[in-house]
Amino acid sequence: MTWNPLNEKREWHCAADEESYLDMEARFKKEGLKLNLVETPPTDDPVLKVVCVFDGEDANPNADRFKSYQDLD
C-alpha cells in the first residue's frame, strides 16, 4: 500500500534524505516536543524524497512547525 497524505491521521513532514529527517526529529526533541519518528515512506518528489511520520503525545496532524521563508513579519 502506498502512503497517502489524505488518509494520514498522524503528524507528517517531508524531508530530502535520512540525515534531514533525523535532524528534524532531533530538533523537535530539543524543543521539548514528545514526538517519535515512526515511519519514513518514500515520495515521488525528486527533492523531498521521504515523508517523516511522527506519533506521540505532542503529535498534531495540523501542525505547521516550519515558517516559510516567504512569510514576511
Side-chain angles (χ1 to χ4, degrees):
M1 185 166 102
T2 304
W3 181 83
N4 183 335
L6 300 177
N7 296 333
E8 185 58 67
K9 303 296 184 216
R10 299 167 293 181
E11 181 171 342
W12 63 273
H13 307 279
C14 290
D17 53 33
E18 181 179 4
E19 181 180 358
S20 298
Y21 68 69
L22 293 175
D23 287 346
M24 186 184 312
E25 180 181 36
R27 174 187 164 193
F28 291 160
K29 289 182 185 279
K30 185 177 180 181
E31 291 175 357
L33 295 169
K34 295 177 181 153
L35 296 174
N36 299 306
L37 183 63
V38 294
E39 191 178 351
T40 55
T43 71
D44 294 330
D45 190 285
V47 176
L48 298 173
K49 298 176 183 175
V50 293
V51 177
C52 309
V53 182
F54 292 91
D55 208 351
E57 188 177 324
D58 293 326
N60 177 354
N62 299 313
D64 186 14
R65 302 194 190 279
F66 301 98
K67 185 176 177 88
S68 171
Y69 291 113
Q70 298 173 342
D71 289 344
L72 301 175
D73 287 349

